[in-house]
Amino acid sequence: VHARFPLIADACCRAGLDLARDPIPVGPAAHYFMGGVITDLDGRTTLPGLYAAGEVACTGVHGANRLASNSLLEGLVFGARAAKAMRADAGRPGAHAAGAGAGTVRPAEPTLLPVDGIRDLMWRHVGLFRDAAGLQRAVDALEAPWRSVYAHLRAGGRLEAEQWRAANLLTVARLVARAALRRTESRGAHYRDDFPGRNDIDWKLRLSETIGDTTASDL
């Protein structure tokens, strides 16, 4: 065991535990993001100038809970394809539109949740075991801060590095919570206490959610 998992064995040793003999405390943790950003086969997203590859991308080559080797191969294959697409797209009109629109007048500061607060909210309500009540609480808590950030950016506002970190986490958390609330079944790593069974009749399909125009009523 020590030879097979030397890094883990060393970490356990530093904590006063022997990986081969002692009971090891185990707790769940977020390890990866299973394909939430829709892309084409060259890593292009629906936002011009933004590319995604690897575990974050939704290419259609994996299911609801991929194996580790699959994610590694996906990163290698589609990372290379995305790099080629970036080179091919460079210089085309609109290719870098993702970072455009910043104005000279700074709008009012957005309302941002602290990173630790977002993590705690997601752990309590959007963790391993989910239900409608908890998911709705998470969506309600995330919606107003996200709309504040989105309005700030649409008005040409800028964010500092730490603000971008919180804004990105807020955006992902909101999309995850909304998607989990919308899908009234259990599938792969998504488990609903109130809908414990898989429902292929209604839910054997891929859904997409847009974060674009704020005039869309279903945002």
Side-chain angles (χ1 to χ4, degrees):
V1 173
H2 294 129
R4 179 68 179 83
F5 303 104
L7 296 180
I8 298 176
D10 181 63
C12 289
C13 181
R14 284 186 273 111
L17 297 169
D18 187 333
L19 182 62
R21 297 180 313 174
D22 298 325
I24 306 298
V26 177
H31 180 55
Y32 48 74
F33 194 75
M34 293 184 291
V37 180
I38 294 177
T39 73
D40 65 11
L41 293 180
D42 293 307
R44 297 182 184 90
T45 70
T46 56
L47 186 62
L50 180 66
Y51 301 79
E55 292 178 344
V56 73
C58 184
T59 59
V61 300
H62 61 82
N65 194 2
R66 73 178 70 169
L67 298 174
S69 56
N70 291 5
S71 62
L72 177 60
L73 290 174
E74 184 172 350
L76 289 171
V77 172
F78 290 97
R81 292 181 69 97
K84 291 180 180 179
M86 292 177 204
R87 290 174 62 91
D89 293 345
R92 292 181 183 176
H96 301 287
T104 56
V105 178
R106 186 182 181 94
E109 286 295 315
T111 302
L112 279 167
L113 292 177
V115 169
D116 288 344
I118 298 173
R119 286 174 176 163
D120 181 64
L121 179 75
M122 294 296 285
W123 179 255
R124 285 185 287 111
H125 299 308
V126 199
L128 298 177
F129 303 99
R130 304 163 173 178
D131 59 40
L135 291 169
Q136 189 63 61
R137 282 194 289 272
V139 170
D140 291 344
L142 296 166
E143 191 67 22
W146 180 84
R147 287 189 175 276
S148 172
V149 174
Y150 186 71
H152 175 80
L153 294 174
R154 290 276 290 183
R158 299 177 182 273
L159 297 177
E160 303 298 333
E162 283 302 309
Q163 289 179 309
W164 270 118
R165 183 181 179 218
N168 291 339
L169 188 61
L170 176 64
T171 300
V172 172
R174 173 182 175 270
L175 289 173
V176 169
R178 284 169 57 96
L181 179 62
R182 184 179 183 184
R183 185 172 281 274
T184 52
E185 65 153 2
S186 291
R187 183 179 298 268
H190 167 65
Y191 183 82
R192 290 278 299 260
D193 275 329
D194 46 354
F195 295 96
R198 194 174 79 177
N199 180 357
D200 285 348
I201 294 177
D202 298 319
W203 290 106
K204 194 175 183 180
L205 73 162
R206 176 176 292 120
L207 302 174
S208 61
E209 181 158 347
T210 303
I211 61 170
D213 194 349
T214 53
T215 61
S217 61
D218 61 342
L219 272 177

